[in-house]
Amino acid sequence: MELIGTTMQIDILLSQQQLILSDSEQQLMRCAVSTAANGAGEKNGSYQTPRGRHIIRAKIGAGLPENTVFRGRRPTGEIYSPQLAAIAPRSDWILTRILWLSGCEVGKNRLGNVDTMRRYIYLHGTPDTTPLGQIGSIGCIRMANADIIRLYELAPIFTPVNIID
């Protein structure tokens, strides 16, 4: 799917654990991310990061404070803190903003057992203590909170997202 009049796109380079936002071949943003510890893959239940062409289907969290905690794509009313982390030390925190992805390639990352959106794959904020620039998530693309806020402000819904192995 391509939007008329927009040349903005996001490339996520799995081998480099980097995100690049560009517009008309001008780089607007580059940052470290963390993708799946299980590597790349599209199958439901794999806990892998899906490859291929996607779009931002939904944006969640406008105007909420940095470190807002989300569960089921809804803010819980909590703000992440070390004290909260101590209560739930094994949580995979989804913080600050969510950019929910939808696959564009039927049979690869859209529909059936490989549907990115039904797998709830997001770009989202993560605690400041989470290592970035290396694998570690359960499928989503983790970003520093300041970076997800900036990306959220710059990239409109339907921005193409290419996840490259």
Side-chain angles (χ1 to χ4, degrees):
M1 171 181 253
E2 184 174 297
L3 282 182
I4 297 171
T6 185
T7 57
M8 190 170 290
Q9 76 174 36
I10 297 168
D11 292 319
I12 297 170
L13 310 174
L14 297 178
S15 64
Q16 297 176 35
Q17 294 295 294
Q18 292 277 310
L19 176 146
I20 301 169
L21 173 66
S22 60
D23 190 7
S24 299
E25 299 184 25
Q26 175 186 7
Q27 185 173 298
L28 301 175
M29 179 178 176
R30 183 180 193 111
C31 62
V33 298
S34 178
T35 62
N38 286 351
E42 294 68 43
K43 191 172 179 185
N44 188 32
S46 68
Y47 300 104
Q48 295 176 308
T49 300
R51 295 162 289 198
R53 292 182 296 112
H54 297 81
I55 58 167
I56 296 172
R57 181 55 63 115
K59 295 172 64 171
I60 302 166
L64 293 174
E66 187 171 326
N67 285 308
T68 293
V69 175
F70 290 89
R71 282 197 195 89
R73 295 159 307 286
R74 299 191 192 292
T76 64
E78 300 166 302
I79 301 296
Y80 177 85
S81 68
Q83 294 79 18
L84 189 59
I87 295 168
R90 297 184 58 106
S91 287
D92 187 20
W93 298 98
I94 298 173
L95 305 179
T96 306
R97 303 285 184 278
I98 296 171
L99 300 176
W100 193 354
L101 299 181
S102 179
C104 296
E105 299 172 85
V106 173
K108 180 176 180 177
N109 58 28
R110 183 166 170 77
L111 302 176
N113 198 28
V114 294
D115 195 275
T116 295
M117 191 163 190
R118 289 184 191 146
R119 290 182 59 203
Y120 304 103
I121 300 294
Y122 318 133
L123 286 87
H124 65 79
T126 195
D128 292 338
T129 55
T130 300
L132 297 174
Q134 63 188 51
I135 60 172
S137 81
I138 57 171
C140 288
I141 296 99
R142 297 174 176 165
M143 299 178 65
N145 291 303
D147 290 336
I148 192 67
I149 289 170
R150 183 166 181 231
L151 184 63
Y152 189 98
E153 292 169 356
L154 291 171
I157 288 180
F158 302 121
T159 297
V161 178
N162 302 303
I163 303 177
I164 303 160
D165 210 359

